Structures are given as C-alpha cells and as structure tokens.
Amino acid sequence: MSGTHEGTFEALRGQLREAATTFADGPDALEGILLGMVDDVDRAVREPLEIFPVCHHSPASAVAMARRLREKQPKVVYLELCEDMAPMLTELRNCRLPVAVQAFATEVDGFPAEWAPLSVVAPITEASAEYQAIAYALDTPGVELVLVDRSSDHVFQWDAQAEQPAAPDDPEAPPAEEEAALHGDAVGVEIGDLRPRFAELEEHLLRHGRVRHWSEWWHQYVELPLGDSDHDTYRQVMFLIGSLFRRLAPGDPHRVGVDEDRERHMWTRMREHLAATGTDPADCLYVCGAFHAASRVAEFGVDGADTFEITPRSATKWLHGLIPSSHAAIEAQFGLAAGSVSIAATQWTKNLKRTRVRPYRLTGQAGTKSTTSPKTPPPVPQAPAADQLTGFLQRPPVLDHLDEAELLGWSVEIVRAARRNGYLASTADAIAVFETSILLAGIRDRAKPTPYDFQDAAVTCIEKDTVPGRRDVRRLVEIMMGGDRIGQVGYDALPPLARDVHDRLAPLGLKLQQRGVQRALLDIAGRPELGPCSDVLWTLRRLMPQGTARPIMGERTLGERPIQESWDLALGTHQRALIELGYEGVSIEQVLEQRLRRTAYGPRATAATVLETVEDATLYLRSRRLADELGTRALEVLSSERGVDGAPEVLRRVRRLLSYYRTSEPVLPPWIESFVKTGYAHYCTLLPTAFTDEDATVRQVAAMLGFLFSMETLALSLGCDRTQLELAVAQSHPQDPSKTALLWAAQVHLGTMTRTDLRSRCDDLLANPLVVPAYPRYLSGFLHALEPVPSLADFVVEAVSNAFARLPDQVLLPWLPTLIMSLRKGGTELAPLLIREAGRIFPGRLAALDEWIPPWRAVQPASPALPPTRQSPRPATLLTTHPTTTDALAHLLGCNDPWARPESGPAGAALLDRYPGTAEALEALLTRA
C-alpha cells in the first residue's frame, strides 16, 4: 500500500522525532530514516495480503510460523522459493533433514559456457519457517502451496545481465570445508538473508553488543527476545529490522536492482494466482524474508501499479532433485558462524518445550515420530494490529535467570569430551569453565551465559598451546551442542540412476545409505552373482569422487577376469555426488559413455587422452562399438598433432591395447592397424625435429623410437617403408648428450653402428677430460634407450659400471641424483630390466667378487704394441721446451703431477710420443691460423 496511517504508530513517531533531535547533529537525515522505518512497518502491517517476515534458519521464526499457521489456517501459502522447485517438495517426506532442494544443469544454452555446470540449492532444516509452511501446506487438505520467487533459470539470467556470476544471496560466503562441500559451488537460495549490508553498521552492532560475529549478535538480541513473543510483536519487530537494514544498505545498483526485481517478480506471481483462482487475499499468507517484507516497491494494494514483465526462461534443460545437506554446509555457504545452525537447532527444541507450540512435520518423514495429525481447530479471527513496537523497544531486556544445572552439565560434558580427544582435562577444568562462563556473561552484560560464552570459556580453560587430536575445543563444543547434523535423501526420492545403483549392489548385503566406510568382500569365483556388483563398483570408482569406492584387493586390467575383490564403500557419505550423477543419465553406463565421448571430442583432446577413453570403454563397458568409434577418433587426433608431448602415454596405451586384441580377438580391429600405420609415418616425420628441439625431452624422443621399433613389424606388414625410418635417423643430429646417446642406440638397432663402435665411443668419452663432466648425461640417454632398444640392457650395465669405476668423485656424486630420478621416472619398465640384467652379469656371492672379471673386459682385444722407437714430432719438442701453458691446463683439469721430473727426464715427452694425435691436431690448427 502506498499510503500510511498515522494513528497506529503515532506515539512511536513522536518519540523517534525527539530522539533524532536529541542525539543527532543533523536531525533531518536521521529523522527521515527513523520515520521511514515506521512507515515501512505500518505499510506492511496494513497489507490486505498478510506478510509473514522470517529470517533463515531462525527458531523464533519457525515457532512464530507454526503458531500463526494454526491460528490463521490460510488456504494459500505463498513462499519465497524458486518457483521451479515446487514438484520436489513432496519428496521431502522421504528424506531426513537437513536436505537441500537442487536445480542442476550440465549443459547450458543461453549462458556462458564457462559457467557450466549450473547449480542452485535451497537448504531446508526442521528449525526453519519455510519447512513449517511446506509441512502445513502438504499435509493439510485444501491448502495450496505456491512458490513465487524467480526460477533457477532467472537466477543466472540476472547474473548474466550483470556480467558477474556471483550468488546474490551469498556475497561473503567462506570457502567450503569437509561437510560444507555438500553444496559445492552451488548458488544458495533461501528465505530471509537478514544481515546488515552496511559494514560499519554491523561493526557497530558487534562492538556495542560485545559479541564476536553476527550469528552471536542475532542469537542474543533478536532470537532470544522473540522466541516466545506474540504474533503482532514478532511481525512488527521483524519488519523494523528488515527496514533498518534496507535503508542503511549501500547503494549498490546491481544489488538493489536484483532485490527490487525479485520483489516485483513475487508480487506479480501472487497477483496472477489471485486473479486466476479468485482467492480472497485474507485467506492467504505470504512468507518472505524480512528484508523483502519492508520493500518500497508498490505491492498488492495498487492495481496495475509497478507492473513487471517476467522474461521467458532460456533453453537450458534444468533437472531437479534433493541432495543431503548439513549444518556445516549451510553455515559455510551462507556466511554464518561455525556451530550457529547447530545452536539454532538446540534453541528450537527449547522454544517448543517453553511455548508448547506443536510444530508441523511431514507425515512419514524419516527422523520424526509417526503420530496422527491432530484435528485442525477453527481459525481465530485476527484483530486489527496494535502498536507493539513502542512497548517492545522501551521494555528492558528480560533477564533469563542462570540455570546452574544446565551450565554444570555443559562443563562436565566438555571436560569428558576433551579427555576422549587427548586433552589433559580434569574436574578442576570443569569448575574453571563453569566460573569463567559466568564471568564472561557478566562482562558482556548478560544474566545467563549463552552457548557462545560457554564456548569461549572452554577454549580459555582447556585448550593450551597445542591441539592433541584433530578436533580443537571449539569444535568439541559445537559437537556437544548438537553436532553437525547431516541429512539424507531417502531411496524413494533418489533419481533413477541412484536407485539402480542401490538395486544392483543389493547382493552385497550392506546398508549403502549409511554414512561412513563399509567393507565389502566379493568372492566372485564362489558366488558368480557378485560379478555384476564388481562391474558397478569399478564404474563408480571411475565416475565418483575419490573415496566413494576404493579397491583394497583386486584390480581390473584388460583381458583379466576377477576372482576375489575387497572394497571400502562410502556411498552414503558421497550421496550428493551420486544424485548429481543421476542428472546426467538413467544408468551409470550411459553416463560413462557420455563422458568418454565428451572427452574424446573435446577441444583439448590429445591422442593419449582419446586412447585412454578407448581403454576405458573396453575395460568398463566392454563395448566394441564404442571402442572402435573412439579409436577412429584417436587416429584423427594423432594425424593433427604437431608435437611429441604425449608420445610416452601413446606408446604405453597402444602397446597395452595391441596385447589385449592379439590375445582376445581373432583379428586386429581396423582402427588400430590404421593407427599403427599412421603413427609410424607420423613419428618418422617428427623424429629429426624432436632430436634437435630443446622442448622435447629425452623421454619423449625415446617413446617415439619405442613406438617405431616395437610397431615396426606390424607397420611393415601394413605397407610402411623401413627406408623412411632409416632416413629419419640419418637426418637426426642432436646436440644434447642424452639425445646423442639415444641416437647411437637407435643406430645400433638399425645396424648402422656396431656394438664395438659404440663401446669405443664410450671409452673415448671417458678418456677425454673435457667430456668427462658430461658423461653422466650420456648415461641418462642410454637408460632411456632401454625403452626402444631393450636388447642394450647388458651394454647399459657395462656403461654404468665403467662410469662408477672410472669417473672421479666430484663428477660421479652430483650425477647420482640424476641417475635416481631417471630410474624413478621410468622405473616401472626400465629399472626391472636393468636390475635383472645386472643380476645376470654380476656374481651372486660376495666371495666371488674379488676374482670376478667383467665379461666386457674379458672379450676386449689386446691393445696393439707401440713401435720400439718413434721420433718425437715437432709439437712435442715445442711443448716440452715451453711447458707453462700445458702445466696450467693440467692444473685446471685436476692433474697435479709436474710436467717434467729432473731425475727421470721429461715425462711429458714420453706421453706425447705415445699419443701424438693431440699435438699434431694442435700443430695443424696453429699452422692454419
């Protein structure tokens, strides 16, 4: 209504004018705010369609709602909740609260693709006004429940218009932890986001209220005073709080626009329903957040005023269901203090006992007593609302006398819980907690310690420097006050996929909906009917989060059949993930097939990832049709790749698939033959570039050679030309030592280099002081060469042994980490081959080691005898005459022997006589210069 009535709140207006004049320097602004708040309350109270303001998960709101529903007995209940969630509310009777109604969309149409998947949740607890309204409407004959808030699609439509995908009802939600992850990244929608949006106002209230956070302030100054108040007082106080927060909110255009559009949307839906049904507004009840109840948007009283056009929904296909929720999830998603929802649940129980209000509960709901519905009394006529605000604001706070028995019980219980969790607590600590709680309450001007005072006292008196267990004292108090109650969605409310999973796992005889880890033993050989259960478990392990289905014994590999398996199952803990899996299909096989296709045809698909989908399709689905389709896709992706990053993974998976098809199929599938043929030509083309490319690692080049050498026989039989491989190796000219050793190994495999030549080159490397520091890198290349040329295992053992025998410690010791890392990266394939070959070559007993001669030394030919006399060439005379340069080079290389010994003549001359090649090369270089 646009007009105001001066009579009802005239006395309050006069007092507020005096207060504004007394306490404000500029009374006009303050007077405008205060009188505007009274006008908001007056307008909302006089609305023909009764508005019931609530705060989310507030026990006072829930009690007031239950009381008002029994008094008024409305025929229509308008509820501030997403209008597309209405069909799922009847499934609440198959659940144990708290749960959340969820709207989910995996594929988006009309929204940015990076937003997918879209998720909207509306948590519901028993101590909430919305649940009382839902239970009343669903269990009372002749009552209609109408959801009037924007749909899930419109939630993201308005975010897309603002170009910021942020949850409008959750501006400062902290990151989720543990059970808070039950809601994940979903956008939270709930009734009554009643919290100051003006940071200075909230800080002012917390400071003067002597509390730490907003949840404690609300509990102390709103929840407790309104817990047993009458209907008119409750409504007017909630209207006043909503108006205060609304008028002092910062002028954020987007946030204000969203709020007003939501209010216009809801009033438009209510007008449409009233016009269509002809219901009398006096028989209706509008349940909304107190912030929206104090709206300045034209409401019901003016026909045609402030019309609002509701845009059509996008083409996105939304799926709806129920997911388990928890107190921690609600606190994390909506920015509440830890433990506040658990404390609210405890307060709800106390309010029911104190006020003797009978709450509404859905018939047949899990976790509730099965009682017959009482007869509905006739509605109580509602008298005109009187001014209850003046008396409420002037009345001093009611002192709730100390309940020593309750506080003493808390103190004893927290000490007992602390001792169970490793704290050295005693009876003296219980007494200290008791007295400190009373002391803190007195400091904070409270007659009775609240649960928050008790929590602070317990932390002060019990928790010392360290926490002995995984729970601190604050968490122990939260558990003691009610704990993190976790909801559960019943079997009948599950989507078809989840019910199918439970049915197929029924032979295991486990309580799959129970939270926690359960052990399942599958003797498939003795009970063949458990074989399908094994298939379901392996598929769930592929699709579900880690920890849902964890194999303890048994594995699934290509070509093998399981005999016995052991599993740890936690389906009840990860019920939300199983439910959201049901939004993607009607069976887990269908979901897996869709995901495999999405991965294979995605923009980031590589040949290795597509081959992985082929293997998964064969392993989990046993679908030859899908495997052939994905294999053809792998061939297309491989042909388009220009890098060698995925070569190791491609080699590993192709080898495994080839081995499987050769043992289980009469002929190879056409796609894998084409893959080998195309891969042979593809890697031959890329090989010379990969040898010189700094970004290509030696492991990747070794994998390319491994593909070419291991697939060579099959490729040649399919029409490939070996000359292409020989030319590719001949055109490779690496500069890196490890790749050079890899090239030598390839040349040995192709026959262009003999083992004698390879051994000679390694000896030359060890004999050259300038190359010795780089020799470990050559060995690393030889280690990776075991991938393409495993027949060189004995030579690699020889090269490593010579390195340990001849390399100096200053070179050998820094290289050892490189050797270990090389073996670790390829340890599954390279290390066993190397160790097995070393075990074959080296003696098995320590006593035989002293007389053991390495086989590579036993077969080496004797060195040719030097000629008896040789005239020293000219460079030898030059170097012996001027030995200073040579001495400096010798010291640089670590040789400290003098160049010439006076008693035995010039030793350097004899050395140069024996090895004149270096001097002659230097002479030729100097002559050309």
Side-chain angles (χ1 to χ4, degrees):
M1 298 179 64
S2 58
T4 58
H5 298 260
E6 299 292 338
T8 305
F9 296 99
E10 186 60 28
L12 180 59
R13 286 188 176 90
Q15 295 178 10
L16 293 178
R17 288 192 187 95
E18 295 177 3
T21 304
T22 303
F23 297 104
D25 297 333
D28 293 339
L30 180 59
E31 181 179 345
I33 294 176
L34 296 178
L35 297 183
M37 292 164 52
V38 179
D39 292 340
D40 292 339
V41 176
D42 196 359
R43 181 177 63 254
V45 167
R46 294 180 179 275
E47 184 65 45
L49 194 158
E50 181 178 338
I51 304 174
F52 194 95
V54 299
C55 175
H56 58 71
H57 310 299
S58 167
S61 296
V63 171
M65 173 62 72
R67 183 193 296 114
R68 183 54 181 163
L69 290 173
R70 294 195 182 278
E71 294 175 353
K72 183 178 178 66
Q73 297 177 29
K75 297 180 180 179
V76 178
V77 177
Y78 297 113
L79 186 61
E80 179 194 335
L81 199 62
C82 292
E83 55 189 2
D84 57 329
M85 293 182 176
M88 293 306 304
L89 296 182
T90 57
E91 297 293 340
L92 288 175
R93 41 178 103 249
N94 298 317
C95 305
R96 184 174 66 241
L97 299 181
V99 296
V101 187
Q102 182 183 40
F104 192 85
T106 55
E107 298 180 359
V108 297
D109 187 355
F111 303 108
E114 59 270 15
W115 289 15
L118 304 180
S119 180
V120 178
V121 296
I124 297 177
T125 62
E126 186 178 357
S128 60
E130 57 263 41
Y131 174 72
Q132 295 300 309
I134 292 171
Y136 164 78
L138 295 182
D139 281 353
T140 306
V143 177
E144 185 178 3
L145 178 65
V146 182
L147 305 186
V148 295
D149 200 2
R150 54 186 176 163
S151 67
S152 305
D153 196 90
H154 286 98
V155 170
F156 290 95
Q157 277 190 32
W158 297 359
D159 285 337
Q161 294 172 1
E163 297 182 355
Q164 51 179 7
D169 291 292
D170 183 23
E172 299 176 355
E177 297 178 357
E178 297 180 357
E179 295 302 337
L182 286 173
H183 294 175
D185 297 329
V187 175
V189 176
E190 59 180 16
I191 299 178
D193 180 22
L194 203 56
R195 183 168 182 167
R197 298 180 183 175
F198 190 46
E200 287 76 5
L201 173 61
E202 181 172 343
E203 182 182 357
H204 176 82
L205 294 175
L206 297 182
R207 183 174 65 254
H208 288 274
R210 300 180 181 180
V211 294
R212 295 169 299 162
H213 43 70
W214 175 249
S215 299
E216 185 177 0
W217 186 94
W218 182 267
H219 174 84
Q220 178 67 24
Y221 295 100
V222 179
E223 194 66 45
L224 295 180
L226 293 181
D228 53 358
S229 61
D230 60 89
H231 174 63
D232 290 336
T233 302
Y234 169 83
R235 288 184 71 207
Q236 294 174 21
V237 171
M238 294 295 287
F239 284 141
L240 185 69
I241 296 174
S243 178
L244 171 65
F245 293 165
R246 191 180 188 101
R247 290 183 176 272
L248 295 183
D252 183 0
H254 170 64
R255 185 66 183 268
V256 174
V258 169
D259 291 332
E260 294 182 350
D261 283 347
R262 288 183 66 186
E263 292 150 8
R264 294 186 180 96
H265 185 285
M266 290 187 285
W267 281 105
T268 300
R269 290 303 191 200
M270 286 186 285
R271 290 192 190 103
E272 293 174 352
H273 181 269
L274 290 172
T277 60
T279 307
D280 186 358
D283 295 331
C284 304
L285 187 68
Y286 172 33
V287 183
C288 67
F291 190 90
H292 297 296
S295 170
R296 289 167 286 186
V297 174
E299 298 174 352
F300 181 79
V302 182
D303 293 336
D306 199 16
T307 58
F308 181 71
E309 180 181 357
I310 300 176
T311 59
R313 299 181 187 178
S314 69
T316 299
K317 184 179 179 181
W318 289 90
L319 302 170
H320 298 82
L322 298 172
I323 61 173
S325 184
S326 67
H327 292 170
I330 297 172
E331 292 159 0
Q333 191 167 42
F334 300 104
L336 305 176
S340 58
V341 179
S342 298
I343 293 175
T346 305
Q347 187 65 33
W348 158 256
T349 305
K350 293 182 180 179
N351 288 350
L352 293 180
K353 292 180 180 179
R354 184 172 64 252
T355 61
R356 297 185 179 181
V357 173
R358 289 180 301 173
Y360 287 94
R361 293 186 175 93
L362 288 172
T363 304
Q365 185 171 28
T368 60
K369 297 180 180 179
S370 57
T371 58
T372 58
S373 300
K375 294 182 179 181
T376 304
V380 179
Q382 180 68 19
D387 180 11
Q388 302 292 339
L389 274 179
T390 303
F392 181 84
L393 295 176
Q394 291 180 347
R395 184 172 66 244
V398 178
L399 298 180
D400 193 357
H401 298 289
L402 173 64
D403 188 347
E404 293 188 0
E406 180 186 53
L407 182 60
L408 186 60
W410 287 357
S411 303
V412 173
E413 184 62 29
I414 189 57
V415 169
R416 183 182 294 114
R419 296 188 66 174
R420 285 198 301 265
N421 285 269
Y423 288 91
L424 299 177
S426 62
T427 305
D429 293 310
I431 299 174
V433 172
F434 180 87
E435 297 294 342
T436 306
S437 301
I438 300 175
L439 177 62
L440 288 177
I443 294 175
R444 296 166 179 173
D445 293 333
R446 302 171 188 170
K448 176 184 177 180
T450 66
Y452 299 97
D453 298 326
F454 173 76
Q455 189 178 57
D456 292 341
V459 172
T460 303
C461 299
I462 297 178
E463 191 169 284
K464 311 306 181 193
D465 297 335
T466 59
V467 178
R470 66 185 184 94
R471 295 189 179 100
D472 56 8
V473 175
R474 190 174 303 278
R475 178 58 180 158
L476 294 178
V477 174
E478 294 173 6
I479 295 174
M480 190 191 73
M481 290 293 176
D484 183 18
R485 186 175 303 171
I486 300 173
Q488 184 184 77
V489 179
Y491 174 85
D492 294 330
L494 292 173
L497 180 144
R499 292 200 299 268
D500 179 64
V501 169
H502 283 270
D503 294 341
R504 294 167 66 178
L505 294 179
L508 297 179
L510 301 177
K511 298 179 180 179
L512 298 177
Q513 288 194 319
Q514 180 178 333
R515 293 184 60 84
V517 179
Q518 302 180 71
R519 179 63 58 86
L521 303 176
L522 283 73
D523 183 10
I524 302 175
R527 297 180 58 189
E529 66 273 12
L530 296 181
C533 296
S534 173
D535 297 337
V536 173
L537 292 177
W538 283 109
T539 306
L540 288 177
R541 180 176 180 268
R542 174 63 172 76
L543 296 174
M544 296 282 285
Q546 185 178 6
T548 305
R550 185 168 64 93
I552 303 302
M553 180 184 68
E555 62 178 355
R556 172 155 292 199
T557 57
L558 291 173
E560 294 186 4
R561 293 289 181 177
I563 299 176
Q564 288 183 337
E565 292 180 352
S566 176
W567 290 82
D568 276 351
L569 302 181
L571 284 180
T573 304
H574 298 86
Q575 192 181 50
R576 171 182 177 265
L578 181 62
I579 292 173
E580 291 188 348
L581 206 63
Y583 297 155
E584 302 183 42
V586 295
S587 67
I588 54 177
E589 288 79 11
Q590 181 187 6
V591 173
L592 180 57
E593 181 174 346
Q594 291 175 353
R595 291 192 179 184
L596 293 179
R597 291 180 188 274
R598 193 180 307 124
T599 301
Y601 291 93
R604 298 184 179 179
T606 62
T609 57
V610 180
L611 285 176
E612 182 182 4
T613 62
V614 176
E615 188 173 347
D616 289 344
T618 306
L619 197 61
Y620 300 110
L621 301 178
R622 299 188 178 94
S623 174
R624 176 66 181 273
R625 170 192 54 82
L626 181 60
D628 291 347
E629 177 187 344
L630 298 177
T632 305
R633 172 61 180 169
L635 177 61
E636 298 173 358
V637 175
L638 178 66
S639 302
S640 62
E641 287 185 346
R642 294 296 177 264
V644 296
D645 295 342
E649 191 69 13
V650 169
L651 173 62
R652 185 170 63 89
R653 296 195 179 277
V654 167
R655 279 179 174 174
R656 194 152 53 206
L657 288 170
L658 268 176
S659 176
Y660 167 73
Y661 285 127
R662 282 170 172 167
T663 56
S664 61
E665 300 286 345
V667 294
L668 293 177
W671 74 264
I672 200 167
E673 292 182 348
S674 300
F675 190 91
V676 171
K677 184 177 179 180
T678 304
Y680 189 87
H682 178 71
Y683 285 134
C684 282
T685 304
L686 297 179
L687 187 62
T689 305
F691 265 113
T692 57
D693 188 4
E694 295 181 356
D695 294 332
T697 63
V698 62
R699 180 171 177 264
Q700 294 170 353
V701 179
M704 294 175 61
L705 291 173
F707 184 95
L708 295 172
F709 293 164
S710 60
M711 309 292 169
E712 185 177 10
T713 304
L714 179 59
L716 295 181
S717 66
L718 296 174
C720 294
D721 190 357
R722 194 171 193 264
T723 307
Q724 186 178 7
L725 174 60
E726 295 175 349
L727 290 176
V729 174
Q731 293 172 358
S732 301
H733 304 287
Q735 299 295 327
D736 183 74
S738 57
K739 292 182 180 179
T740 301
L742 192 60
L743 178 63
W744 292 345
Q747 292 173 347
V748 171
H749 177 79
L750 295 176
T752 58
M753 179 186 294
T754 63
R755 286 203 172 201
T756 304
D757 294 336
L758 182 60
R759 183 177 291 108
S760 176
R761 291 193 180 189
C762 292
D763 291 340
D764 292 342
L765 293 176
L766 285 174
N768 191 341
L770 298 178
V771 185
V772 164
Y775 187 74
R777 299 179 62 187
Y778 286 91
L779 288 182
S780 299
F782 284 129
L783 287 176
H784 285 92
L786 293 178
E787 179 73 54
V789 192
S791 59
L792 284 180
D794 56 341
F795 176 80
V796 175
V797 173
E798 173 187 342
V800 174
S801 301
N802 288 334
F804 276 91
R806 301 176 60 179
L807 287 177
D809 291 345
Q810 59 269 25
V811 175
L812 183 62
L813 293 179
W815 169 67
L816 287 178
T818 305
L819 174 64
I820 295 174
M821 293 302 297
S822 299
L823 291 173
R824 184 177 181 181
K825 290 180 180 179
T828 56
E829 299 177 0
L830 304 182
L833 181 63
L834 193 64
I835 294 173
R836 183 170 59 251
E837 187 65 25
R840 187 185 64 84
I841 294 176
F842 287 94
R845 296 182 178 276
L846 185 61
L849 188 61
D850 294 336
E851 300 178 356
W852 176 72
I853 300 176
W856 52 86
R857 290 186 181 178
V859 299
Q860 281 185 351
S863 300
L866 293 176
T869 58
R870 184 181 178 92
Q871 185 65 29
S872 297
R874 179 184 168 197
T877 306
L878 180 64
L879 290 176
T880 54
T881 307
H882 304 282
T884 307
T885 304
T886 308
D887 287 342
L889 179 59
H891 285 292
L892 182 62
L893 296 177
C895 183
N896 298 321
D897 292 339
W899 172 252
R901 299 182 180 88
E903 64 278 5
S904 58
L911 182 64
L912 292 174
D913 287 342
R914 188 169 182 177
Y915 301 99
T918 303
E920 292 174 353
L922 179 61
E923 179 187 16
L925 181 63
L926 295 176
T927 304
R928 286 196 300 269

